[in-house]
Amino acid sequence: MVDRVDELAQLLDRVDHSVQTGDSTVLVLRGEAGVGKTSLLATLAHRAMTEHAEAELLAGYGQAMLNSLASDSFQAIRECLRSLTSSAERSSARGRLERMVSSFREHAPDWIESVPMVGQLLAAGVRTGQTYAESGRDETEIDSRLDQLLRLIEDLLTDSPVLMVLDDLHWADTATVDLLTTIALRVKGPLILVLAYRPDQLRSPDQTHPLQRAVFRLCRYLPDTVVMDLPRLSSTDTELLIRQAAGGHSVAPHVVSKIVRLSAGNPLFAESMVRLGDNAGDSAPRQITAVLEERLSYLVDEDQRLLEVAALIGYSFEVDYLARLARMDIDDVYERLHVLFSEHGVVRPAEPRGDYDRYVIHHPLFAQILRDRGAANAPRWRRQHTRLLEILEGEEGWDDELQVRAAAVAAAARNRAKAGTLALAAARRQFTLGAVSKARDLARIAVEQTPSFDASALLAECLSAEGDHVAGTEACADALARAGAETVALALEAQVRLLWARNLRMTCHWEQTSRVLDELIADHPEPGPILSEALMLQAEVALCGPVQNAPLCIELCDRVAAMSTDPEVRSRAFGHRGLAHLADYDPAGADLWLAEAIAAARETGHPYAEYEALHWLSKKTMACLELDRSWQLLEELAAMSRTSGVASENPPHLRDSSRVLGLQHRYTDAAEAFARYLDISLAPSLGRVATMLAWQIHELAQVNGSISAETFLGRLRDACHEDLLTPDRCARLGEHLDALERRPRTWHPTEFAIAELGATPDDAYAAEAIFRFDVLSLPQLRAALPEAGAAS
């Protein structure tokens, strides 16, 4: 690989700074497929360890897999932990590996199964958090996997700097991205975190990729974050690469010229074409898969078939499995893999899984091509999946990776009964781990293969956790329809009915929500969690529904608070009572009960409960124009989101920040905050976003005057040219600004959003309620406030 001298020097400089100062640093490397990210990262790790040998720097590398169910949860992080352990084993410092093993045992028992070397060295059967608790330490509370990993890294940093390189993160699931973001934001010390991905893989017309949002958060909250775009090679560097790839063999000048022209500076394309020589085509390949298909054609048929079977197992595959599926002697398989590695470069050795040696296919897209080839012969493909499932079932003590893989293999084998059972079990485990998107996909397999109440109920939980309340409503209805044909515990059915009611409430289906809640209360009149949750939802309908009834909301909240000792439930009851007082034009009463809600939330120990309670208070201060206080609360909410990860997907404090900043005459900051809010919003919520913008313009004109509203519109126009938004969102905002600049002198924001901004009535009226915070008339509330409050 041609040296990326400038880029390597910049990366090494940041590593040097972190080692010398003891500060953490984040490096983001972006580049298209085949441009040389992986080679640059390998050189970086080698040079960093060599130059900082005295500091005993540890380096680990992990690569995300193609986003399929056959991939492992937190795969990139698991692989990086294994690599770090190997780095400690190779370290010249005596006892370094023992120190790491001890750290795993003490701080991260749930991650031990990810690193077979650690589990083997412990030699005490301590392989998971559960067995750790049962091995005489049951009085010790096992922390979450996130907290365990954070403590492990912090403990390692007390001995030496740590370099963690995570590659191909465009294929990482949301849980992995969130975990890495939290590590970057919370860990203090000489941690160098390198995140690499393909920016072209993050573009989507429907929603912003979670990795794109993560990079935005890192750049915002860690200003020293380095974001580097790795360009294509120059013609000169491409020629040098061609000579290197030829391995000392001469390459005709006309072939060099052709490869330079056709590769267009993509190193992977160039290296592949060197192997083709004069057989390289006359037109530039449109995508990397075309080159890889051509590369495959130069392998003998037997090796192509062997690779197809390897890809069936996965992007990374066990040699034992491959030998059994291919019906070959295992020594012969090792020999063929050695040839494919040393002569063709299409596979490479990988970290073993326990006693199983592993190889990895050199590129995930290459693996996809091989899988597509194998799947073309459906009967053979199905039979091989059946045999692979038999192999997996012969193993004992499945870890998370094998559990997920077995579900996918059973589905491909068309064994509906096993696929449904395995997928449901794996989905429950992934949901518990926080890998919601993976749990959702597995739950869908369970629903498709073996429809049941449990499968539909779990799918409903996953969809609701992701904020897809429309699909969540449908999944709840499906589960409840199945409950009549199955033996389902009344408590479980009631929980799904409650989830159904909450999804209906979130989608503004008020009449149906009330009907479901009335039936629940009639069926469960005795005091308890089901009744208190149903009453709490009734209180929310009374406050936020089409006919506001603040006294009824207060009455219901009092019943819930008196019935429950759960601080989380009491916090919601106090909070909604406070909001009801605000809706009844009683800001003093609102303050009193919202303070009670915050106090109760802090008793729960759950960050989200406190975040929600503080958010309610911040909305009250905005309604009452207590702007300095509003901004302090929003800053506190932002800090909570950074450190605990709550509301990180669609943070309401970002939306509200734009509103407060505008009222404080900080129009440039307000425009940037709104642009960020638009960028992270999912496609189904864009109608609400447009309505919020209309109301924000309307409020600025009412409170600060028409010039203020026009200034904010101008700053939003500037934001369209500052690379804050994806092109499609930028175009959408431009259309909205054009319409808003033509608004009539007398206008109603909600009606305008429906008529001119493309918002549906349900979305527009829901957004209006959020903006007013269910106060029917903000001018009426503000007219009764002391002048000092409004002036802040």
Side-chain angles (χ1 to χ4, degrees):
M1 175 65 194
V2 174
D3 289 335
R4 297 277 194 168
V5 178
D6 293 339
E7 293 86 356
L8 180 60
Q10 186 177 353
L11 294 172
L12 285 171
D13 181 68
R14 296 301 303 172
V15 174
D16 295 345
H17 175 78
S18 184
V19 172
Q20 291 166 9
T21 64
D23 295 331
S24 61
T25 190
V26 178
L27 308 172
V28 179
L29 186 65
R30 305 184 299 201
E32 68 182 37
V35 81
K37 296 184 300 298
T38 300
S39 297
L40 177 60
L41 294 174
T43 304
L44 170 67
H46 175 73
R47 287 280 299 275
M49 290 189 67
T50 301
E51 295 179 10
H52 296 287
E54 290 186 3
E56 299 178 358
L57 180 139
L58 291 179
Y61 174 87
Q63 187 177 37
M65 289 185 175
L66 190 62
N67 189 19
S68 69
L69 288 176
S71 64
D72 186 11
S73 303
F74 308 114
Q75 171 64 25
I77 297 171
R78 291 171 180 267
E79 187 176 338
C80 190
L81 291 176
R82 290 192 285 267
S83 183
L84 280 171
T85 306
S86 297
S87 179
E89 184 182 34
R90 295 189 301 268
S91 172
S92 58
R94 297 185 61 185
R96 193 71 181 93
L97 179 59
E98 289 80 3
R99 174 74 175 82
M100 177 171 280
V101 170
S102 175
S103 187
F104 266 98
R105 180 176 55 203
E106 181 67 19
H107 300 292
D110 274 344
W111 291 92
I112 291 173
E113 65 181 22
S114 303
V115 189
M117 183 189 301
V118 172
Q120 292 163 8
L121 290 174
L122 282 174
V126 181
R127 299 189 63 79
T128 66
Q130 180 180 358
T131 55
Y132 178 74
E134 294 170 355
S135 62
R137 299 290 298 276
D138 52 289
E139 73 280 5
T140 302
E141 182 180 352
I142 301 300
D143 292 323
S144 70
R145 291 169 71 90
L146 166 62
D147 288 331
Q148 289 183 29
L149 185 58
L150 288 171
R151 293 190 187 194
L152 172 69
I153 294 172
E154 289 169 347
D155 190 51
L156 296 179
L157 291 173
T158 61
D159 285 347
S160 65
V162 174
L163 171 63
M164 295 180 67
V165 178
L166 289 307
D167 199 4
D168 284 343
L169 290 179
H170 47 274
W171 279 315
D173 56 22
T174 302
T176 298
V177 173
D178 286 347
L179 188 56
L180 290 172
T181 306
T182 305
I183 290 171
L185 293 173
R186 289 176 57 178
V187 170
K188 307 300 180 185
L191 171 67
I192 304 99
L193 195 62
V194 184
L195 312 177
Y197 66 94
R198 299 182 199 164
D200 57 296
Q201 294 286 329
L202 306 191
R203 299 298 183 188
S204 169
D206 298 322
Q207 64 184 57
T208 303
H209 193 285
L211 182 58
Q212 195 171 30
R213 295 195 294 270
V215 172
F216 154 65
R217 288 184 66 200
L218 294 174
C219 292
R220 180 171 183 179
Y221 300 121
L222 297 175
D224 291 331
T225 296
V226 174
V227 179
M228 180 186 301
D229 289 299
L230 199 60
R232 293 182 179 182
L233 297 177
S234 66
S235 296
T236 302
D237 283 339
T238 303
E239 286 190 27
L240 177 59
L241 174 63
I242 292 168
R243 308 295 182 192
Q244 293 175 349
H249 300 286
S250 61
V251 183
H254 74 278
V255 174
V256 172
S257 299
K258 181 190 293 185
I259 294 175
V260 170
R261 175 172 56 85
L262 296 181
S263 67
N266 185 296
L268 181 58
F269 281 31
E271 289 180 322
S272 298
M273 291 178 183
V274 169
R275 294 182 174 87
L276 300 179
D278 282 322
N279 295 312
D282 292 325
S283 61
R286 294 185 178 274
Q287 53 187 2
I288 195 171
T289 52
V291 173
L292 296 176
E293 282 277 13
E294 192 74 23
R295 188 168 174 177
L296 266 176
S297 69
Y298 281 82
L299 301 178
V300 297
D301 290 344
E302 291 80 2
D303 284 344
Q304 292 189 43
R305 299 292 83 77
L306 186 67
L307 286 173
E308 287 175 12
V309 177
L312 176 148
I313 299 170
Y315 169 50
S316 117
F317 58 90
E318 292 83 354
V319 181
D320 273 11
Y321 292 0
L322 179 57
R324 293 170 67 180
L325 287 176
R327 299 184 184 277
M328 292 175 60
D329 180 83
I330 193 166
D331 290 330
D332 292 339
V333 172
Y334 274 109
E335 283 300 315
R336 293 315 308 157
L337 290 175
H338 178 69
V339 171
L340 291 170
F341 165 58
S342 61
E343 297 183 13
H344 300 284
V346 293
V347 297
R348 67 174 186 270
E351 291 285 339
R353 180 176 67 81
D355 295 332
Y356 291 99
D357 284 336
R358 272 182 164 184
Y359 278 72
V360 64
I361 298 170
H362 96 112
H363 196 285
L365 284 179
F366 202 172
Q368 185 60 51
I369 290 170
L370 292 162
R371 283 194 290 269
D372 291 343
R373 282 185 166 199
N377 186 340
R380 173 176 174 268
W381 193 246
R382 189 163 57 250
R383 173 58 184 157
Q384 286 180 323
H385 275 93
T386 299
R387 293 184 61 208
L388 178 56
L389 182 60
E390 293 171 355
I391 293 171
L392 295 178
E393 289 178 323
E395 285 202 30
E396 297 180 357
W398 283 359
D399 59 13
D400 297 335
E401 176 187 0
L402 282 187
Q403 190 177 38
V404 173
R405 183 193 288 189
V409 170
R414 297 190 181 180
N415 188 325
R416 296 176 65 86
K418 286 184 178 179
T421 301
L422 292 170
L424 183 58
R428 285 174 174 151
R429 173 61 176 164
Q430 294 301 314
F431 191 75
T432 301
L433 294 175
V436 179
S437 59
K438 194 178 296 296
R440 176 205 62 211
D441 291 342
L442 286 160
R444 281 197 173 122
I445 288 179
V447 170
E448 292 166 359
Q449 300 294 324
T450 54
S452 67
F453 170 85
D454 288 343
S456 293
L458 182 56
L459 178 59
E461 278 195 85
C462 295
L463 293 166
S464 302
E466 289 185 315
D468 191 348
H469 299 293
V470 173
T473 300
E474 295 170 355
C476 285
D478 184 61
L480 292 170
R482 298 184 187 284
E486 302 178 26
T487 302
V488 177
L490 292 178
L492 292 178
E493 183 181 351
Q495 289 298 328
V496 175
R497 290 166 71 187
L498 281 170
L499 185 61
W500 187 30
R502 175 156 292 284
N503 279 303
L504 289 168
R505 173 254 185 276
M506 295 301 293
T507 52
C508 302
H509 288 79
W510 304 109
E511 185 177 344
Q512 194 175 2
T513 303
S514 296
R515 184 169 65 250
V516 172
L517 292 174
D518 288 343
E519 293 172 356
L520 259 173
I521 292 170
D523 292 342
H524 299 272
E526 64 283 355
I530 294 174
L531 179 60
S532 62
E533 178 64 21
L535 293 173
M536 193 65 250
L537 284 172
Q538 279 193 331
E540 293 181 23
V541 173
L543 180 64
C544 310
V547 179
Q548 191 176 79
N549 189 336
L552 176 59
C553 178
I554 291 173
E555 176 189 339
L556 289 167
C557 289
D558 284 347
R559 285 184 63 188
V560 172
M563 179 187 308
S564 178
T565 59
D566 185 342
E568 186 173 357
V569 174
R570 291 172 63 82
S571 175
R572 286 178 59 204
F574 294 150
H576 282 82
R577 173 165 184 171
L579 306 184
H581 280 283
L582 184 65
D584 207 27
Y585 307 110
D586 176 16
D591 245 345
L592 172 67
W593 287 102
L594 290 173
E596 291 287 337
I598 294 171
R602 285 173 175 158
E603 290 180 24
T604 67
H606 298 310
Y608 185 78
E610 184 176 354
Y611 180 96
E612 189 176 30
L614 285 171
H615 173 60
W616 293 330
L617 181 58
S618 75
K619 296 288 284 187
K620 178 265 171 185
T621 62
M622 277 182 275
C624 296
L625 291 178
E626 300 165 354
L627 300 182
D628 290 341
R629 189 181 180 199
S630 294
W631 186 248
Q632 291 173 357
L633 288 166
L634 290 174
E635 290 280 84
E636 188 173 352
L637 289 168
M640 290 181 65
S641 183
R642 289 195 301 269
T643 56
S644 65
V646 299
S648 59
E649 289 295 307
N650 192 11
H653 60 263
L654 183 59
R655 173 195 66 211
D656 295 337
S657 294
S658 176
R659 180 180 179 183
V660 173
L661 288 165
L663 291 170
Q664 291 180 321
H665 305 279
R666 298 162 61 184
Y667 303 115
T668 300
D669 293 338
E672 180 179 338
F674 185 86
R676 302 299 187 193
Y677 165 51
L678 172 60
D679 184 55
I680 66 171
S681 297
L682 301 179
S685 65
L686 292 179
R688 296 192 181 193
V689 175
T691 309
M692 296 293 288
L693 175 59
W695 271 101
Q696 194 168 335
I697 298 295
H698 187 268
E699 180 180 60
L700 276 173
Q702 280 193 327
V703 176
N704 292 345
S706 59
I707 295 178
S708 177
E710 297 305 321
T711 302
F712 178 59
L713 279 172
R715 297 293 188 274
L716 280 173
R717 184 77 70 182
D718 294 339
C720 287
H721 305 291
E722 294 179 3
D723 199 28
L724 296 172
L725 293 166
T726 57
D728 59 315
R729 295 293 168 92
C730 188
R732 187 183 188 92
L733 178 58
E735 292 171 0
H736 290 346
L737 295 177
D738 291 341
L740 285 164
E741 287 174 350
R742 299 191 301 268
R743 69 192 184 281
R745 181 180 295 274
T746 303
W747 66 301
H748 189 277
T750 301
E751 296 171 359
F752 185 88
I754 296 170
E756 303 294 337
L757 304 183
T760 65
D762 282 349
D763 280 344
Y765 284 109
E768 178 186 345
I770 293 171
F771 189 88
R772 289 185 290 99
F773 211 42
D774 301 305
V775 179
L776 293 180
S777 173
L778 283 176
Q780 179 181 342
L781 172 68
R782 290 165 178 173
L785 295 174
E787 291 186 7
S792 79

